[in-house]
Amino acid sequence: MAYKTVVEDNIDVLVVGAGLGGTGAAWEARYWGQDKKIIIAEKANIDRSGAVAQGLYAINCYMGTRFGENNPEDHVRYARMDLMGMVREDLLFDMARHVDSAVHQFEEWGMPIMRNPKTGSYLREGRWQIMIHGESYKPLVAEAAKKSADKVYNRICVTHLLMDDSKANRVAGAVGFNVRTGDYHVFKSKTVIVGAGGASNIFKPRSVGEGAGRVWYAPWSSGSAYGLMIQAGAKMTQMENRIVLARFKDGYGPVGAYFLHLKTYTQNCNGEEYESKWFPALSEMVGKAYLDTEGQHLSHKPIPTCLRNHAFINEVNAGRGPIHMVTMEAFQDPHLEEIGWHNFLGMTVGQAVLWAATDVNPKFENPELTTSEPYVMGSHATGCGAWCSGPEDLSPPEYYWGYNRMTTVEGLFGAGDAVGGTPHAFSSGSFTEGRLAAKAACKYIDDGKAAGIRVSDEQIARRKQEIYKPMEHYKVYRNEITAGSVNPNYINPRQGLDRLQKLMDEYCAGVTVSYMTNEKLLHIGLKKLKIMEEDLEKVAAEDIHELLRAWELKHRHLTSESVMQHTLFRKETRWPGYYYRGDAMKLDDENWHVLTVSRRDPQTGEYTMEKAPCYHIVGKDD
Amino acid sequence: MPTFVYMTRCDGCGHCVDICPSDIMHIDKVTRRAYNIEPNMCWECFSCVKACPHHAIDVRGYADFAPLGHSVRVHRDEEKGVIAWRIKFRNGEKDMDLLAPITTKPWGKHIPQLRDAAAPSQEMRNSQLLFNEPKYIRLDEGGLHTLESNGLKFKAGVYY
């Protein structure tokens, strides 16, 4: 192999992926480990990477304790209800009690946060959201991370975690390659904090052809948070809890500020309110604890996001689409109109481009909405991710093994999308989780838990051979054909991605089957995924860029298998509107008021599934 | 909206190549100018558009649903701390200029160097506190929120 091997040794804290989770981790690690060696390995450029690359117009998780607005337990109740009971309340409470300090730091660093002129507090978009001018959110937090880290390696695609050869189930660093030079990078580290992204593009998107990159969640979020950890044998949780978003059609422009701040609302093709019509029947399906159709107006409990999706999907299936967002009233106010546009420009410019291209002026026309394809992530209104330890003062024994946000692999920590059971963390919560993981990682080292780590040359050489195999495969077989991309001996990464998306869509409840699946379909899907795994050994990369796509595909494949296994295991429809099990349509609290936990054996690839107790640490009303 | 690069404006400086989160802006070996190698992996995040010193990069609505003839241009000024947008509709009926702040302080100067901060005490290490806490959380001189401080009891297994 012509590529150089670059080894960075003696690292204390390796941060893999520097989105909001990773930047928080790198920043905070320096405080608790002032003499420690902190290294960041980022797939893109830290200044514009991760889901917040193009900005955000709101910080969606802020308590406002300073202004007497909310306490952490309020947020736990809210997120728990939104996720139909299934959250890790210890992790949620922990994130919520720290998140304000992260947001206040952002403001001190220069983040323009809008203020309510009457109260002096931050301008609320909703109970949990505050409005910002966040176009430069990512460069700002990147600056903080860069200040703390010893070195930032940009353009490194981390493919595998290194494991300790002297002790089973302990992490020892990571390996990957530079997507520009092709060099092989070895990071030997005492701890690893995975801040990589969740998964877009594992389900067939609604967009096609040139537009296939127009997905709601960043197309570069390749499920690496999950791929890396699953591969290393970490236990995962809530992987069945994929999310479907209701968004402006085609552009996937955000609706939060529209609903909450601009006070817009939705209606069907006849101009009718439709949501409430679907709730009585749905209430029977999920139970009154989650949807109390009679008492809702008294309790003011927000209706879970997935149930609102359910109403949307069913209304469209009943032939009363499209669903429109009623903007024509709010946009008569020039100030609100400006906010509506800024909202896109700050975080989803594509929606502004689309409206300009299709002459949609929301002042005179109510734009269409749609439901997206599913995404797998752990920080939005969904909680996929690794099964992690909670903090010592909040966690019951089953949730606690010593170090906050440490996965079941020793020395391996998570933040943001990587941590399971902590939905509604969003950007600020992910940053906060990174901070928490960093403190714990430093403690883990100081406690001597990382002593005696050994990484064999054999492991390093084996991974190197594995990483570049797609390029070798291409070289060997490309001359068997005249030209073109059809080869009997390999598929290229795009062809592989198309197969994965079709498979996940049809067997694991994507858009074209109206988010519906059942046991038989899932079994077929799993079988096809296994066969695909064999083909992924023969994926071919023409150049380093395609090698990047090949490894993204492999991480997406691992994520998909995990999603499929979890969906099969949970024999109920816990989140109608996100997905349905046609053979178990009812929410079944008697058997399934539990968290699902899986582990993929790194040697055999076999899955072990188990149920874990879902503890409600925060009571209903206290 | 996939990006594209105007031939006459690009000088191949590579700023877009450096910043693209999706690794799809590359330099063409023949023309020595940048181009988008993989439009179907473009998220139209505008990172490259903002980074281009010559305004050589633009976007065009995705061919699968966006008609031609529109325009969304941007100028981001880090020194002044503002970003300016201009949106033109294809039918010419709407032409908007919008301006927003991107920072309130000189870039990066107010981010402390934590290596030089006073080292955390052992007590702090043993607590649940993070850097600058609890003072950055609340102004009432209270400590960190715990179940006890908030009048809560641990309720393992309680249904609601």
Side-chain angles (χ1 to χ4, degrees):
Chain A
M1 188 65 62
Y3 301 120
K4 276 193 298 184
T5 297
V6 183
V7 180
E8 185 76 52
D9 207 349
N10 299 317
I11 305 170
D12 292 294
V13 181
L14 174 67
V15 177
V16 173
L20 264 286
T23 48
W27 152 257
E28 187 80 20
R30 178 55 68 212
Y31 181 63
W32 302 101
Q34 288 175 329
D35 54 347
K36 290 189 171 45
K37 185 171 174 182
I38 301 159
I39 297 291
I40 295 173
E42 162 59 49
K43 185 170 76 172
N45 182 329
I46 185 173
D47 285 343
R48 289 280 182 191
S49 65
V52 182
Q54 66 182 305
L56 279 180
Y57 202 65
I59 286 176
N60 285 343
C61 182
Y62 175 70
M63 299 300 111
T65 312
R66 170 180 284 194
F67 305 111
E69 292 172 329
N70 297 294
N71 276 337
E73 59 269 27
D74 302 318
H75 192 258
V76 172
R77 288 191 196 101
Y78 161 65
R80 175 174 71 197
M81 177 52 78
D82 196 58
L83 270 290
M84 313 294 288
M86 298 293 130
V87 288
R88 276 282 301 274
E89 295 188 12
D90 57 332
L91 299 177
L92 266 181
F93 189 98
D94 192 32
M95 180 270 291
R97 67 179 167 178
H98 292 285
V99 72
D100 283 11
S101 80
V103 174
H104 297 152
Q105 278 182 164
F106 296 159
E107 189 180 35
E108 195 165 291
W109 297 345
M111 167 86 82
I113 303 181
M114 297 181 210
R115 294 247 174 198
N116 182 330
K118 283 181 199 152
T119 62
S121 60
Y122 294 147
L123 182 64
R124 284 279 178 192
E125 183 182 292
R127 182 167 175 186
W128 308 104
Q129 302 85 358
I130 54 172
M131 298 183 71
I132 61 173
H133 289 288
E135 188 278 334
S136 292
Y137 196 169
K138 187 65 215 296
L140 201 67
V141 295
E143 199 65 34
K146 285 190 283 190
K147 263 195 160 158
S148 276
D150 287 279
K151 192 166 181 184
V152 180
Y153 283 90
N154 283 325
R155 302 288 168 196
I156 305 289
C157 172
V158 172
T159 56
H160 303 82
L161 295 171
L162 278 175
M163 300 305 283
D164 181 11
D165 284 310
S166 65
K167 187 178 178 196
N169 198 42
R170 184 163 72 167
V171 83
V175 293
F177 61 97
N178 185 309
V179 306
R180 291 286 152 71
T181 63
D183 291 344
Y184 177 52
H185 281 258
V186 180
F187 301 95
K188 295 184 185 176
S189 181
K190 294 190 178 85
T191 63
V192 178
I193 299 175
V194 174
S200 67
N201 266 327
I202 68 171
F203 286 84
K204 186 194 281 179
R206 283 190 185 270
S207 307
V208 297
E210 183 191 88
R214 182 75 301 249
V215 285
W216 166 75
Y217 191 44
W220 51 82
S221 293
S222 49
S224 296
Y226 311 129
L228 290 170
M229 296 189 299
I230 291 168
Q231 213 171 209
K235 284 187 176 180
M236 307 299 289
T237 189
Q238 300 287 89
M239 293 299 284
E240 73 277 30
N241 183 205
R242 81 292 296 269
I243 186 171
V244 169
L245 289 304
R247 287 290 180 271
F248 285 106
K249 189 169 183 302
D250 293 337
Y252 289 139
V255 295
Y258 277 74
F259 277 132
L260 299 167
H261 189 70
L262 309 186
K263 308 290 181 212
T264 60
Y265 53 92
T266 58
Q267 57 183 211
N268 67 12
C269 69
N270 300 320
E272 301 155 341
E273 186 275 324
Y274 61 91
E275 265 189 6
S276 60
K277 276 193 305 184
W278 295 100
F279 289 154
L282 183 59
S283 175
E284 299 214 342
M285 189 173 151
V286 300
K288 278 205 184 307
Y290 304 105
L291 182 64
D292 182 1
T293 47
E294 290 95 45
Q296 207 89 34
H297 66 287
L298 290 175
S299 65
H300 297 292
K301 268 189 207 156
I303 292 163
T305 311
C306 61
L307 302 188
R308 302 190 69 173
N309 277 1
H310 172 89
F312 188 131
I313 294 161
N314 280 276
E315 189 71 2
V316 171
N317 287 348
R320 287 186 290 274
I323 302 301
H324 283 116
M325 180 73 101
V326 180
T327 53
M328 285 164 63
E329 295 164 19
F331 271 56
Q332 298 309 315
D333 177 338
H335 172 64
L336 294 184
E337 182 186 14
E338 198 175 316
I339 285 179
W341 283 98
H342 270 304
N343 188 37
F344 293 156
L345 300 173
M347 59 178 157
T348 312
V349 190
Q351 187 68 49
V353 178
L354 177 66
W355 282 1
T358 48
D359 300 327
V360 171
N361 185 349
K363 199 171 174 178
F364 305 113
E365 179 181 349
N366 293 328
E368 280 179 63
L369 298 182
T370 191
T371 50
S372 73
E373 60 280 359
Y375 298 88
V376 180
M377 59 190 305
S379 60
H380 203 271
T382 182
C384 313
W387 185 239
C388 289
S389 175
E392 117 185 79
D393 66 326
L394 291 172
S395 307
E398 290 96 330
Y399 294 176
Y400 179 71
W401 47 98
Y403 296 94
N404 204 353
R405 265 68 178 181
M406 189 167 90
T407 67
T408 54
V409 173
E410 285 184 46
L412 177 63
F413 296 78
D417 281 341
V419 180
T422 57
H424 292 271
F426 298 104
S427 61
S428 51
S430 296
F431 188 89
T432 306
E433 273 192 330
R435 298 176 66 193
L436 292 164
K439 181 179 179 182
C442 290
K443 186 168 186 290
Y444 174 89
I445 297 167
D446 293 339
D447 288 349
K449 299 283 184 182
I453 289 177
R454 191 172 62 81
V455 183
S456 65
D457 292 342
E458 182 277 327
Q459 186 182 172
I460 292 171
R462 175 164 45 88
R463 290 303 186 200
K464 182 175 184 180
Q465 199 177 19
E466 210 176 321
I467 287 172
Y468 294 101
K469 194 173 161 190
M471 296 188 83
E472 290 297 318
H473 202 76
Y474 179 81
K475 247 193 247 169
V476 171
Y477 291 104
R478 70 176 168 147
N479 289 327
E480 274 199 8
I481 58 168
T482 51
S485 59
V486 185
N487 192 301
N489 297 298
Y490 62 69
I491 53 170
N492 66 37
R494 185 74 225 181
Q495 291 162 343
L497 186 63
D498 287 342
R499 188 196 300 182
L500 182 73
Q501 290 177 349
K502 180 173 162 60
L503 199 164
M504 288 299 284
D505 178 81
E506 292 171 354
Y507 296 102
C508 201
V511 164
T512 66
V513 293
S514 217
Y515 312 104
M516 184 71 74
T517 185
N518 62 35
E519 192 166 327
K520 285 207 167 160
L521 284 164
L522 289 163
H523 276 299
I524 298 170
L526 278 169
K527 193 175 159 196
K528 292 192 174 197
L529 275 177
K530 265 285 170 245
I531 297 170
M532 186 173 174
E533 198 176 324
E534 292 171 25
D535 275 9
L536 286 181
E537 290 301 306
K538 297 174 189 162
V539 73
E542 189 177 341
D543 52 28
I544 293 292
H545 178 73
E546 275 209 338
L547 189 64
L548 164 71
R549 295 291 183 242
W551 280 102
E552 287 179 339
L553 175 62
K554 285 171 186 244
H555 287 171
R556 282 188 165 106
H557 179 270
L558 278 162
T559 307
S560 300
E561 189 183 35
S562 178
V563 171
M564 197 89 93
Q565 290 280 5
H566 274 253
T567 312
L568 178 64
F569 183 61
R570 183 181 282 282
K571 294 181 183 4
E572 65 157 353
T573 300
R574 172 63 54 170
W575 301 277
Y578 286 172
Y579 78 94
Y580 304 86
R581 277 282 305 254
D583 50 351
M585 282 295 276
K586 272 191 125 154
L587 184 148
D588 175 9
D589 259 349
E590 202 171 316
N591 296 303
W592 291 98
H593 200 97
V594 290
L595 298 162
T596 59
V597 178
S598 69
R599 182 173 183 271
R600 180 184 182 273
D601 187 309
Q603 264 71 48
T604 64
E606 291 302 311
Y607 264 81
T608 315
M609 303 296 308
E610 58 180 305
K611 292 178 178 179
C614 182
Y615 286 130
H616 296 300
I617 293 167
V618 171
K620 190 180 174 186
D621 302 311
D622 55 10
Chain B
M1 314 302 130
T3 54
F4 63 92
V5 182
Y6 286 110
M7 177 68 92
T8 52
R9 289 192 197 160
C10 176
D11 68 357
C13 73
H15 280 62
C16 57
V17 181
D18 186 42
I19 203 69
C20 173
S22 197
D23 190 41
I24 57 180
M25 294 309 293
H26 282 217
I27 303 288
D28 180 76
K29 289 197 174 82
V30 178
T31 61
R32 303 301 303 161
R33 288 173 172 87
Y35 76 116
N36 180 343
I37 61 164
E38 206 181 357
N40 61 6
M41 286 299 277
C42 179
W43 204 38
E44 76 276 1
C45 70
F46 273 63
S47 295
C48 59
V49 181
K50 293 167 190 169
C52 178
H54 309 297
H55 296 287
I57 310 180
D58 205 344
V59 293
R60 185 272 277 133
Y62 289 125
D64 60 326
F65 51 75
L68 303 174
H70 54 279
S71 161
V72 174
R73 301 292 280 161
V74 62
H75 178 71
R76 180 175 178 272
D77 191 328
E78 221 165 74
E79 286 290 303
K80 289 182 188 155
V82 292
I83 188 161
W85 297 91
R86 183 161 185 194
I87 305 173
K88 284 200 238 180
F89 274 43
R90 69 186 291 275
N91 62 7
E93 282 181 14
K94 204 159 178 73
D95 187 343
M96 275 181 295
D97 285 311
L98 293 155
L99 190 73
I102 58 171
T103 183
T104 58
K105 295 186 176 167
W107 208 257
K109 293 218 171 93
H110 288 264
I111 298 171
Q113 173 57 267
L114 294 193
R115 198 192 292 270
D116 304 331
S121 63
Q122 195 53 43
E123 190 191 358
M124 182 100 174
R125 286 181 187 276
N126 295 337
S127 75
Q128 296 296 326
L129 297 173
L130 295 175
F131 169 69
N132 250 338
E133 289 183 352
K135 73 171 179 175
Y136 267 46
I137 299 176
R138 51 204 289 184
L139 295 178
D140 58 4
E141 295 181 2
L144 191 70
H145 290 274
T146 62
L147 292 175
E148 290 75 29
S149 77
N150 292 6
L152 302 167
K153 282 190 186 140
F154 185 81
K155 298 191 173 193
V158 173
Y159 278 49
Y160 55 90

